[in-house]
Amino acid sequence: MSELYLPEGIGQILASEVQIDKVIHRLSDQISADYRDKEVLLIGILKGAFIFLADLSRHLAIPHAVDFMSLSSYGATATTSGEVRIIMDLRTFIRGKHVIVVEDIVDTGYTLLYLQQLLRARKPASLKTCVLLSKPDRRRVATEIDYLGFEIPDHWVVGYGLDYADRFRTLPYIAVLEPEVYQEG
Ligand code: PRP
């Protein structure tokens, strides 16, 4: 086993590689069972979902394709307006397809709600959501999560796709970021 890399600013580990792996297996088993006779399109939301989508997709036991969207939630701070913009749209037409949106985290819920409304209007055969992390204490709008990895408390978390100013995204675990890091910046 290689040595754990803990850069400065990393606090408590909320989910280790082993714990994440277990959750990936649970979610991929559920999805594979629910879509047994169907073909699925996984839509990963960049950047945060790229590692989660890569791991989830490699454990699915059903035929599936992947595509990506990039969104920005404008002013995603304590004073967030909830305004979401598309930075990069899908390359796939989703009409008549079984779609699963794959997100790293749901915080206020604005991004996922926006996506659900946008994608439903394109008339997929079905639309579900698979989310690795949810912070229920931060929710501003109700959103449906069909497949959920972990519920976590309201801390800034990084690793496994999640960042602070584009740092820490590729850590193999999910950890709390020490407040000094973002209070300094
Ligand atoms: C994060 C995350 C979700 C969104 C959730 O993306 O990946 O898309 O915020 O927040 P919400 O529930 O409050 O809308 P972010 O804007 O940090 O971009 P990134 O994935 O490229 O880091």
Side-chain angles (χ1 to χ4, degrees):
M1 193 121 176
S2 54
E3 199 184 324
L4 195 61
Y5 170 51
L6 285 165
E8 201 174 324
I10 294 298
Q12 186 198 355
I13 293 185
L14 290 183
S16 66
E17 279 188 79
V18 171
Q19 289 168 319
I20 294 171
D21 190 56
K22 274 192 191 147
V23 161
I24 297 285
H25 277 89
R26 169 170 63 78
L27 295 173
S28 55
D29 286 353
Q30 279 174 12
I31 292 171
S32 298
D34 291 352
Y35 290 84
R36 206 172 314 118
D37 306 315
K38 302 188 176 85
E39 187 161 341
V40 171
L41 174 67
L42 300 178
I43 299 180
I45 309 305
L46 298 173
K47 300 179 190 177
F50 81 107
I51 295 178
F52 179 39
L53 182 133
D55 282 348
L56 183 77
S57 63
R58 284 179 295 172
H59 287 90
L60 288 180
I62 48 167
H64 62 277
V66 298
D67 202 347
F68 295 92
M69 280 181 91
S70 177
L71 301 173
S72 104
S73 44
Y74 202 63
T77 63
T79 56
T80 183
S81 65
E83 185 184 323
V84 181
R85 286 179 306 152
I86 299 180
I87 307 299
M88 185 189 84
D89 206 340
L90 296 170
R91 293 169 70 161
T92 315
F93 291 103
I94 65 168
R95 180 182 280 270
K97 295 192 173 153
H98 295 286
V99 171
I100 302 177
V101 171
V102 179
E103 259 287 27
D104 56 335
I105 190 163
V106 175
D107 190 339
T108 63
Y110 284 124
T111 305
L112 195 60
L113 183 67
Y114 171 85
L115 262 171
Q116 286 171 322
Q117 289 168 348
L118 179 88
L119 297 177
R120 268 199 195 108
R122 299 181 184 181
K123 309 265 185 257
S126 65
L127 179 65
K128 289 200 176 182
T129 56
C130 179
V131 174
L132 182 64
L133 303 169
S134 171
K135 283 184 187 173
D137 295 343
R138 293 264 308 161
R139 201 74 87 247
R140 298 270 192 92
V141 287
T143 48
E144 263 171 58
I145 301 176
D146 298 291
Y147 303 99
L148 176 63
F150 304 91
E151 270 196 358
I152 57 166
D154 181 16
H155 297 302
W156 196 307
V157 291
V158 293
Y160 201 73
L162 293 112
D163 72 311
Y164 166 67
D166 258 333
R167 290 160 62 201
F168 310 112
R169 253 192 227 285
T170 57
L171 295 174
Y173 49 80
I174 297 161
V176 174
L177 189 64
E178 299 284 8
E180 293 80 56
V181 178
Y182 48 90
Q183 282 164 1
E184 278 165 16

